Amino acid sequence: MVTFLFELKQKLILIFRFIFVNLSGGEECLVCGSYCNIMPLCRDCCSVYYKVEDRFGMRRCSVCGKYLVSEKEKCLECRKETVYKHTDVVFPLFEYRLWNKELLFTWKIQEIRSLSPFFAARIQKALELHKWEIVVPVPPRKGKIAKKGWDQIEEISCFLEKRYHRVVLRILQRNSGTVEQKTLDRSGRLETIGKSFSLASPEIIRKQLKKNKEILPEEVCLLDDILTTGSTAESCATVLKEGGIKKVDVLALFTAS
């Protein structure tokens, strides 16, 4: 019943989006400018630029996962000083540049939720190819869902649970009084490591672990939308490892260059 209601809600979102877009004259693909009628990406650009299989096998920094153009195993930033000290594998799918900046803005800020199933399908494919079993989403700010009605990572998590039958453990929480990352510069973000997140209450953790046979997993995949300095992923990975999880990999849709 829960899955049925979820899928019904998603169909209604797409139907209303289709009606709205067509009544307003349609919209353009953010990549090529061709006509679209549900989300601002055409089918051709989706298959050419957002094929997850192509992301595997590309040369990446062994620490932060950014795509490499040199023969070194690490990018220049990670050779100088890495932020990622408690993560094991960092795997961003796409680079946050060109039309991807507008795409993320359209989804996250303008709340064009018809993009949610598109992003969820890419995340699901990456989980499948990398054989990640258990997902831990980066939690939203307290009160965000009550205020705005949704959170982009929580929505992806719902797709993973209800459409793709993934185990999603919501065992992290944001600490009260933390400043939004987007308002901070690089040094400010790095200072938040170890302060912004903590494990959820024992009651919440027990409830969440019922999805995993009440056993704390040894390995999890931390899910976020974009990696900028890496401070959020590092903060979450630190908390998870302190809580007893041995291996924390990170999967993100985008990484800032």
Side-chain angles (χ1 to χ4, degrees):
M1 177 59 72
V2 174
T3 300
F4 170 78
L5 292 176
F6 173 79
E7 292 294 349
L8 178 61
K9 177 183 176 181
Q10 297 308 316
K11 286 182 180 179
L12 289 174
I13 289 174
L14 295 181
I15 289 171
F16 284 123
R17 178 67 183 167
F18 177 83
I19 295 172
F20 172 79
V21 169
N22 280 275
L23 287 177
S24 60
E27 62 182 344
E28 295 182 348
C29 172
L30 292 175
V31 180
C32 70
S34 62
Y35 174 81
C36 302
N37 57 22
I38 292 182
M39 66 176 186
L41 279 176
C42 70
R43 185 174 299 178
D44 289 342
C45 289
C46 286
S47 62
V48 171
Y49 298 108
Y50 297 98
K51 191 174 181 180
V52 173
E53 293 89 337
D54 293 345
R55 306 289 127 176
F56 287 75
M58 298 180 72
R59 295 193 68 253
R60 295 170 176 266
C61 172
S62 60
V63 178
C64 72
K66 290 179 181 177
Y67 301 117
L68 293 174
V69 293
S70 70
E71 296 300 317
K72 303 288 185 179
E73 290 186 1
K74 297 180 182 179
C75 68
L76 183 59
E77 287 185 5
C78 290
R79 274 181 271 159
K80 291 179 179 178
E81 182 180 10
T82 181
V83 174
Y84 298 100
K85 298 176 182 177
H86 293 85
T87 59
D88 294 279
V89 173
V90 180
F91 197 92
L93 290 177
F94 310 107
E95 292 181 285
Y96 184 62
R97 62 188 184 90
L98 301 176
W99 52 75
N100 282 338
K101 289 186 176 182
E102 190 171 354
L103 183 65
L104 183 59
F105 179 84
T106 301
W107 178 52
K108 186 174 179 178
I109 307 301
Q110 294 185 335
E111 302 182 15
I112 304 303
R113 294 171 68 177
S114 58
L115 283 165
S116 295
F118 165 78
F119 284 126
R122 270 71 194 161
I123 291 293
Q124 161 61 13
K125 191 63 178 180
L127 292 169
E128 183 181 89
L129 291 173
H130 215 293
K131 295 181 170 55
W132 282 308
E133 297 293 333
I134 298 174
V135 175
V136 175
V138 171
R141 299 188 310 277
K142 292 184 178 180
K144 178 184 177 181
I145 294 179
K147 180 180 179 180
K148 300 187 69 175
W150 84 303
D151 171 72
Q152 68 277 6
I153 296 301
E154 175 58 23
E155 182 142 293
I156 293 293
S157 298
C158 288
F159 272 98
L160 294 177
E161 277 185 317
K162 297 177 174 63
R163 178 170 293 181
Y164 300 110
H165 310 294
R166 289 277 177 181
V167 175
V168 178
L169 300 180
R170 297 170 178 82
I171 57 176
L172 289 171
Q173 65 181 14
R174 287 187 188 255
N175 295 332
S176 300
T178 56
V179 180
E180 288 188 53
Q181 291 280 298
K182 65 183 180 182
T183 66
L184 302 173
D185 58 15
R186 177 180 174 81
S187 61
R189 292 186 182 205
L190 296 179
E191 288 177 2
T192 66
I193 294 177
K195 304 174 184 177
S196 300
F197 299 89
S198 59
L199 287 176
S201 68
E203 292 77 15
I204 291 177
I205 291 177
R206 280 196 295 269
K207 182 178 179 180
Q208 289 291 305
L209 288 182
K210 288 182 179 179
K211 305 174 185 178
N212 193 46
K213 301 179 181 179
E214 302 188 11
I215 299 173
L216 187 70
E218 291 191 354
E219 302 180 7
V220 299
C221 177
L222 182 70
L223 177 63
D224 205 358
D225 55 354
I226 182 170
L227 303 173
T228 48
T229 60
S231 58
T232 294
E234 176 61 19
S235 292
C236 291
T238 301
V239 169
L240 291 170
K241 288 198 168 179
E242 288 175 348
I245 294 174
K246 295 180 180 179
K247 188 172 186 289
V248 179
D249 294 343
V250 180
L251 174 62
L253 286 167
F254 299 101
T255 181
S257 301

